Amino acid sequence: MYINKRVRAGQGLFWLCLALLWLGACQHEDGAELDDYAFRQPTNFPEPTYTFDNNPTTKAGFELGRTLFFDPILSVDNTISCGSCHIQSLAFADVPLHPVSIGVHGRAGIRNAPGLANMAFLPEFFWDGGVTHLDFVPLNAVEAVFEMDETIENVIQKLNAHTEYPQRFREAFGVESVTTPFFLHALSQFMNRMISDQSKYDQYLAGEAQLTGEEAKGMALFEEKCATCHSGILFTDHSYRNNGISTDFPDLGRALITSFDGDIGKFKVPSLRNVGVTPPYMHNAKFDSLEEVLAHYASGVQESPSLDASLKQNEQLGIAMTEEEQAAIVAFLETLTDYEFLSDPLFRRSN
């Protein structure tokens, strides 16, 4: 009986070790397991807008998209990648040194590059909402003369002539050659996986962290004074508004898409997740700090025909806030930084 018990114990240990070895084999070189590549739906987030039915996220597709994201082969002179203007440690926004994006040949763009996170839940993209599906977002960067200045046809030719990409597309999608739809699907798989929901604020909601007195005060003030536009768990209502940063608009904003004069000067209300690490702010990078942003809303709003009605109440421009209240709101906004997201090895360049 004693011997049999020892045999059974030894067998159990054998199978346990075998299972652990198998799990190790399922891990990626950066420590990620297979499940880490699947799209993850946070329980308190809205339903995704992305069409996962025809492009589910897989390990091979995600890793292919990640390689493409950081590969300057997408630009005309092989110098600029998506990752050149979207830096992980800055929530995939650009460095403050670049108020607007810098593309090939040092050409300056026209708008501040926004951060990238939670894109699977967004109905529209870019400051003017000119693209309504994530798959088509990279086309703008590839073909814009002040970004990559390439054609999608040339990109596909370069990828098909590459020593590794055709095989990787075959492994990810079962296709014999690289085509535009699968090129875009790969990039979407990488970007869709960029979920940011582990900030101090999220931990507070889960009962795993406490806000300081200043942060709690700021949260209450934010809900009173800012949540009309920056609403919900994503901190945006996805609308387009003129927030009074100018009286004239060489960049027409939403009106470029709608051709409606009432939309001149209106730009997308951005998500405020990770806002503490994404200066400068506004589509034209007008403000260098969150303190400047709050000061603008308190005393710097400028009148124009399309100024948002919420910024003109009782014949008063802006949002009434003392300097102390502004500081408290900034303290709360800092709790929206997701440091796990900023340092997650899953999103780092792999080669």
Side-chain angles (χ1 to χ4, degrees), residues 14 37 49 59 67 74 81 96 102 128 134 169 209 241 249 251 273 281 286 334:
F14 168 79
Y37 297 91
T49 58
K59 177 179 182 292
T67 301
L74 305 189
S81 71
I102 303 299
D128 56 22
L134 182 60
F169 272 87
R241 301 178 187 246
F249 300 93
D251 183 343
R273 283 185 168 272
Y281 302 102
K286 182 173 183 177
E334 296 288 355

Side-chain angles (χ1 to χ4, degrees), residues 15-199:
W15 288 112
L16 175 60
C17 292
L18 185 62
L20 290 173
L21 286 171
W22 182 85
L23 286 172
C26 290
Q27 289 187 319
H28 183 255
E29 60 186 2
D30 57 16
E33 297 182 358
L34 285 175
D35 286 347
D36 291 336
Y37 297 91
F39 174 74
R40 179 173 59 83
Q41 167 79 33
T43 56
N44 58 344
F45 274 37
E47 287 299 309
T49 58
Y50 188 78
T51 51
F52 285 101
D53 288 346
N54 68 329
N55 187 29
T57 305
T58 66
K59 177 179 182 292
F62 170 91
E63 291 185 333
L64 173 58
R66 179 174 59 187
T67 301
L68 290 167
F69 187 89
F70 292 106
D71 196 337
I73 196 174
L74 305 189
S75 64
V76 67
D77 60 358
N78 298 321
T79 63
I80 299 293
S81 71
C82 302
S84 298
C85 299
H86 296 283
I87 314 300
Q88 182 183 359
S89 61
L90 303 175
F92 290 98
D94 207 347
V95 295
L97 183 64
H98 296 160
V100 294
S101 300
I102 303 299
V104 297
H105 309 305
R107 296 171 185 164
I110 60 173
R111 293 173 180 168
N112 179 28
L116 305 179
N118 303 322
M119 290 175 291
F121 306 96
L122 303 182
E124 294 161 340
F125 303 88
F126 300 119
W127 283 104
D128 56 22
V131 172
T132 59
H133 196 288
L134 182 60
D135 284 356
F136 301 110
V137 167
L139 292 176
N140 287 53
V142 168
E143 299 192 335
V145 295
F146 47 80
E147 292 189 50
M148 297 180 179
D149 194 23
E150 183 58 288
T151 67
I152 190 63
E153 292 81 8
N154 283 345
V155 168
I156 299 304
Q157 288 180 10
K158 287 191 287 187
L159 294 178
N160 274 308
H162 195 271
T163 56
E164 297 179 5
Y165 276 122
Q167 176 60 27
R168 294 193 63 180
F169 272 87
R170 191 174 303 117
E171 293 170 353
F173 299 109
V175 293
E176 291 305 313
S177 62
V178 182
T179 60
T180 299
F182 291 109
F183 162 71
L184 298 173
H185 276 185
L187 283 168
S188 287
Q189 287 195 33
F190 176 63
M191 292 187 288
N192 274 326
R193 185 58 187 78
M194 292 181 179
I195 305 299
S196 179
D197 68 336
Q198 295 298 312
S199 67

Side-chain angles (χ1 to χ4, degrees), residues 284-348:
N284 60 355
K286 182 173 183 177
F287 304 119
D288 292 328
S289 68
L290 290 175
E291 287 78 9
E292 289 184 14
V293 172
L294 270 295
H296 159 73
Y297 284 117
S299 60
V301 170
Q302 302 179 58
E303 176 73 273
S304 63
S306 62
L307 179 66
D308 196 77
S310 65
L311 297 176
K312 188 177 182 180
Q313 299 289 332
N314 301 319
E315 302 303 317
Q316 296 294 317
L317 295 179
I319 302 171
M321 291 181 286
T322 66
E323 290 184 0
E324 291 76 13
E325 289 173 331
Q326 295 171 46
I329 292 173
V330 169
F332 169 66
L333 292 176
E334 296 288 355
T335 72
L336 304 182
T337 302
D338 182 350
Y339 292 100
E340 289 188 23
F341 177 69
L342 304 187
S343 60
D344 192 335
L346 200 64
F347 304 119
R348 293 178 192 162

Side-chain angles (χ1 to χ4, degrees), residues 226-243:
C226 311
T228 299
C229 303
H230 296 285
S231 59
I233 197 66
L234 297 179
F235 290 89
T236 174
D237 66 353
H238 309 294
S239 66
Y240 301 85
R241 301 178 187 246
N242 173 353
N243 63 350

